[in-house]
Amino acid sequence: MQPPESWYPYRGRIIGLLIGLIIALLLITIGFGYTLLIVLLASIGFIIGAWRDCKIDITSWLQFFMK
């Protein structure tokens, strides 16, 4: 099922809203520490996946943070 064409200009806002809603629900149900751990591990997983897909250059990131 595809979303309506009129939603395409707002897809970033819709995705951001859904992510915010999920994080808020996690904060309410499991607490700050566990939610922070989940977000951190998901971010690390995303970065590793993007690196494996050759969509991100880890060496340039490391050089940026080592300055």
Side-chain angles (χ1 to χ4, degrees), residues 25-47:
L25 289 172
L26 285 173
L27 283 169
I28 290 170
T29 57
I30 64 173
F32 178 75
Y34 289 123
T35 301
L36 186 64
L37 179 66
I38 290 170
V39 169
L40 179 69
L41 292 175
S43 299
I44 291 171
F46 175 80
I47 291 171

Side-chain angles (χ1 to χ4, degrees), residues 8-20:
Y8 286 146
Y10 306 106
R11 69 177 170 247
R13 287 177 247 181
I14 293 170
I15 291 170
L17 175 74
L18 291 174
I19 290 171

